[in-house]
Amino acid sequence: MARPCVSLTEPSNNRPKTSLHEGSRDPALGNRAGVITAAWPLAARAQQPAIPVIGYLSVGSPESDASRLTGLRRGLNQTGYVEGRSLVIEYRWAGNQADRLPALAADLVQLQVTAIVAAGVLPALAAKAATASIPIVFIVAADPVQFGLVASLNRPGSNLTGFNDLAGEVGAKGLALLHELLPGTATIGVLGNPNNPTFELTTRDLLAAAAIIGLKVEVLKAGTDIEIDAAFASAVQAQTGALLVEADPLFITRIERVVALAARHGIPTMYSFREYVVAGGLISYGTSLIEDWRQIGLYTGRILKGEKPADLPVIQATKIQLIINLKTAKTLGLEVPATLLALADEVIE
């Protein structure tokens, strides 16, 4: 499961050896961390504090989590922890096979990592089931209390805390904004992953919001790459006028693929994160993945410095932004209403 590693320290009789996986190596450092360490005098190294090791648990892959990792490392750096120098990250990727998460979480626990960063509800649940002592920092798109991750937002009360990006909760507003962009559209598709524990809750809220607006909603389910392709084809066949993509790790780890499908089929699409629009998507209402994960890095750094998860309230996203890509709107033949442009926090031209 683990890939070949480069030793950061020489093994000794009384100190465990830590390792830096190839997937976690800072490209700018290459092998320098190991070389520098090897050059240290033994006496000097004996006085060095142990380098903390954190685990990163994700259902995705190194390529799909690029934006997340950019934010995570940024937050860690701001607390004084630089990967490959003063911190080791053990990555565990499920390769979009959620059933692998429990074994991967158990592996991190066996390594006795200092903390575990869990990218989503399913990784967080797997990590929680694997340990009641190692601190866990999670990021989710809905209330973590509902999924039994914490006792309350203000007082988590256990070894877990984290960040709620509110993506599931702001979906109704995103639907209303999409309707404002396309007032003549009677049917809007909602793309969700039925394998996500938040799917039923998020979809129910979106259906209720659509009923108030007077929209008909076509629920499109996708839990694999093939099903994502099929969902877009179904939307076209059903003459769905627009699409809203729910905040799901499967779609987040395929931002470019989802945006390309929307462009290929000519479907105006609303997303939950800024990164979709930067990649060429039409419009988003929500947060930024990089900024969300910077917060995770900051919390993880605080825990590495000795703070307890039980004492760190779950952070609720406060910076919800409307982002519009005018170039994509022009390609789709859409004229964005001036009222919507006035509301936008960022317009990409």
Side-chain angles (χ1 to χ4, degrees), residues 10-17:
E10 293 179 358
S12 65
N13 294 330
N14 58 3
R15 185 174 58 191
K17 181 172 71 174

Side-chain angles (χ1 to χ4, degrees), residues 271-294:
Y271 305 98
S272 300
F273 298 100
R274 176 181 182 274
E275 283 71 16
Y276 281 99
V277 183
V278 172
L282 174 61
I283 185 171
S284 69
Y285 183 71
T287 60
S288 161
L289 287 171
I290 291 178
E291 176 56 26
D292 292 352
W293 278 88
R294 186 183 72 86

Side-chain angles (χ1 to χ4, degrees), residues 9-327:
T9 58
E10 293 179 358
S12 65
N13 294 330
N14 58 3
R15 185 174 58 191
K17 181 172 71 174
T18 57
S19 63
L20 177 63
H21 277 253
E22 289 181 354
S24 65
R25 187 180 300 146
D26 186 336
L29 289 174
N31 290 328
R32 285 196 297 122
V35 173
I36 292 171
T37 304
W40 287 348
L42 289 174
R45 268 184 283 162
Q47 298 174 6
Q48 295 295 321
I51 296 177
V53 181
I54 65 172
Y56 176 85
L57 184 62
S58 170
V59 75
S61 66
E63 296 76 21
S64 67
D65 285 14
S67 294
R68 294 172 168 181
L69 295 176
T70 295
L72 176 64
R73 291 169 181 144
R74 188 172 297 173
L76 286 167
N77 292 353
Q78 289 175 344
T79 59
Y81 294 99
V82 180
E83 184 181 8
R85 295 177 185 171
S86 55
L87 175 75
V88 172
I89 303 179
E90 287 281 349
Y91 296 93
R92 293 297 180 269
W93 315 96
N96 298 302
Q97 299 178 49
D99 58 345
R100 296 184 58 206
L101 289 171
L104 295 175
D107 187 40
L108 291 174
V109 172
Q110 187 173 7
L111 287 175
Q112 297 182 353
V113 295
T114 309
I116 296 175
V117 174
V121 174
L122 290 177
L125 289 171
K128 182 181 180 182
T131 178
S133 57
I134 296 176
I136 299 167
V137 185
F138 59 75
I139 186 166
V140 294
D143 185 357
V145 177
Q146 297 186 26
F147 299 99
L149 292 174
V150 294
S152 71
L153 298 179
N154 290 330
R155 301 183 67 84
S158 64
N159 62 317
L160 288 87
T161 189
F163 185 89
N164 178 6
D165 61 28
L166 300 177
E169 298 175 38
V170 302
K173 177 64 175 179
L175 191 70
L177 291 168
L178 185 58
H179 179 57
E180 185 174 346
L181 175 62
L182 301 160
T185 299
T187 302
I188 290 179
V190 170
L191 178 63
N193 181 1
N195 301 320
N196 190 326
T198 67
F199 172 75
E200 294 293 341
L201 177 64
T202 301
T203 304
R204 183 194 66 195
D205 291 345
L206 286 170
L207 289 173
I212 294 174
I213 300 173
L215 284 173
K216 178 183 177 182
V217 171
E218 185 78 22
V219 178
L220 304 168
K221 301 178 181 179
T224 65
D225 285 332
I226 293 176
E227 290 174 350
I228 292 175
D229 294 345
F232 274 91
S234 296
V236 173
Q237 187 175 8
Q239 297 183 327
T240 302
L243 184 66
L244 184 146
V245 177
E246 292 185 3
D248 182 85
L250 176 68
F251 310 140
I252 293 170
T253 57
R254 288 159 170 73
I255 287 178
E256 292 185 359
R257 181 191 188 95
V258 172
V259 168
L261 283 168
R264 183 188 311 165
H265 293 291
I267 302 176
T269 305
M270 165 69 76
Y271 305 98
S272 300
F273 298 100
R274 176 181 182 274
E275 283 71 16
Y276 281 99
V277 183
V278 172
L282 174 61
I283 185 171
S284 69
Y285 183 71
T287 60
S288 161
L289 287 171
I290 291 178
E291 176 56 26
D292 292 352
W293 278 88
R294 186 183 72 86
Q295 298 289 339
I296 294 298
L298 291 173
Y299 249 26
T300 304
R302 290 174 63 178
I303 287 172
L304 292 178
K305 291 178 183 294
E307 295 191 57
K308 305 297 183 184
D311 300 327
L312 295 174
V314 174
I315 304 171
Q316 300 274 80
T318 57
K319 194 175 182 180
I320 311 299
Q321 295 183 311
L322 172 64
I323 316 294
I324 300 173
N325 191 319
L326 284 182
K327 181 179 179 180

